[in-house]
Amino acid sequence: MSRRPVGSARRFADGGGIPFMGSLHSRSRSSPLLSIGLVVLGAILLIVYAYSGSGGSISDKEALSKVEGGVSCTLEVQRALPILKKVYGDSMHKILHVGPYTCSVVSKLLKEEDTEAWGVEPYDIDDADANCKSLVRKGIVRVADIKFPLPYRAKSFSLVIMSDASDYLSPKYLNRTLPELARVSAEGLVIFAGYPGQHRAKVAELSKFGRPAKLRSSSWWIRFFVQTSLEENEAATKKFEQTSMKRSYKPACQVFHLKSNH
């Protein structure tokens, strides 16, 4: 909740500048219940105001649900982590996640034993929570335009995972971004992309992502990989599908496994 609407509500509770508050006060003298109700309402508004003023902001998970309005492939990455660990094994010890609200994925990965994790946030983090801003200050998460080369050496990370961001990039920029992500990975690149027909794009997204999500079919992606000389990792794809079936896991997003570009 922003400060502006909360502030106006607080003024309402205080009775300042509202012409008909006098009538409410006269009624409150004759009705103790009304007085108690107004006091409780004022207390609630003050608590909310104090929380927003202390720097408390919505978490990445809450922001994702509000922005996407449906399926979020960044949240899907977190669901798929046990499957990915089974597929990639030791390659899951040094990971770069790229995509909006990457702090949520990085925070979860950092809780895993013997796991190093970094993130690249392609969009602004004005609405990020304190934990995310702390990760940025520490250099664990970097805010960077992924349409341009990343400041990492080749094979800097064992595995690179990208989610959601691919749905907001045009083919022109995908031609630059995906080979770059394959370059900085040593063992592979995993892409989580939306299915055509999923409810993803909202007018509210335009201010953050610059364009509505473009949800492409699997056949479109396969043709694109061939055109950009990105090779699918058939062994990882097969193992991911087998492990998902054994664990009754059905991805809500398309998952593509690519080999590193070396």
Side-chain angles (χ1 to χ4, degrees):
M1 184 178 293
S2 64
R3 293 193 176 191
R4 183 171 298 175
V6 173
S8 62
R10 189 182 180 189
R11 288 194 299 270
F12 179 87
D14 291 339
I18 307 297
F20 51 83
M21 281 302 295
S23 61
L24 285 178
H25 285 305
S26 64
R27 292 180 184 179
S28 66
R29 286 192 296 268
S30 60
S31 176
L33 290 178
L34 180 58
S35 298
I36 294 172
L38 288 172
V39 170
V40 172
L41 176 61
I44 293 173
L45 291 173
L46 284 172
I47 292 172
V48 173
Y49 179 81
Y51 174 77
S52 62
S54 63
S57 53
I58 58 176
S59 66
D60 281 343
K61 187 170 183 178
E62 291 170 333
L64 273 166
S65 63
K66 290 181 180 181
V67 171
E68 300 295 347
V71 175
S72 162
C73 291
T74 296
L75 291 180
E76 191 62 27
V77 170
Q78 298 181 52
R79 289 185 60 227
L81 284 179
I83 311 297
L84 292 173
K85 289 180 182 178
K86 188 70 175 178
V87 173
Y88 289 96
D90 292 340
S91 297
M92 292 290 291
H93 291 321
K94 193 172 184 180
I95 305 170
L96 173 69
H97 176 265
V98 179
Y101 304 104
T102 186
C103 293
S104 60
V105 177
V106 172
S107 295
K108 186 164 186 176
L109 287 169
L110 289 175
K111 294 177 182 178
E112 301 291 332
E113 187 176 357
D114 298 326
T115 299
E116 298 179 34
W118 288 266
V120 174
E121 169 62 68
Y123 308 102
D124 68 80
I125 60 167
D126 292 341
D127 58 349
D129 58 17
N131 175 63
C132 184
K133 292 180 179 179
S134 175
L135 291 173
V136 173
R137 286 194 301 270
K138 294 175 182 178
I140 297 174
V141 170
R142 181 189 298 269
V143 181
D145 191 338
I146 58 175
K147 300 185 186 75
F148 301 97
L150 296 173
Y152 303 118
R153 295 179 180 178
K155 302 183 181 182
S156 291
F157 309 95
S158 54
L159 188 69
V160 176
I161 303 173
M162 182 185 199
S163 60
D164 286 321
S166 59
D167 294 332
Y168 294 96
L169 292 175
S170 66
K172 173 184 176 182
Y173 291 116
L174 283 172
N175 278 327
R176 303 178 186 177
T177 302
L178 296 190
E180 177 68 4
L181 296 181
R183 179 188 69 83
V184 302
S185 67
E187 302 296 333
L189 167 63
V190 184
I191 300 173
F192 285 72
Y195 282 107
Q198 285 179 335
H199 179 60
R200 298 285 300 285
K202 282 186 173 183
V203 175
E205 289 182 350
L206 296 178
S207 61
K208 185 175 182 69
F209 303 119
R211 56 182 288 152
K214 179 70 173 179
L215 305 180
R216 302 158 173 119
S217 66
S218 60
S219 59
W220 186 96
W221 280 111
I222 292 171
R223 288 195 302 271
F224 177 80
F225 297 147
V226 172
Q227 293 169 2
T228 51
S229 300
L230 290 168
E231 186 178 354
E232 286 193 84
N233 189 333
E234 295 180 0
T237 299
K238 185 176 181 180
K239 192 169 184 179
F240 185 87
E241 292 173 350
Q242 291 175 342
T243 306
S244 297
M245 188 175 297
K246 288 179 181 179
R247 301 195 178 191
S248 300
Y249 167 71
K250 186 176 181 180
C253 297
Q254 300 181 86
V255 185
F256 301 101
H257 304 264
L258 305 177
K259 294 183 178 180
S260 299
N261 190 7
H262 303 294

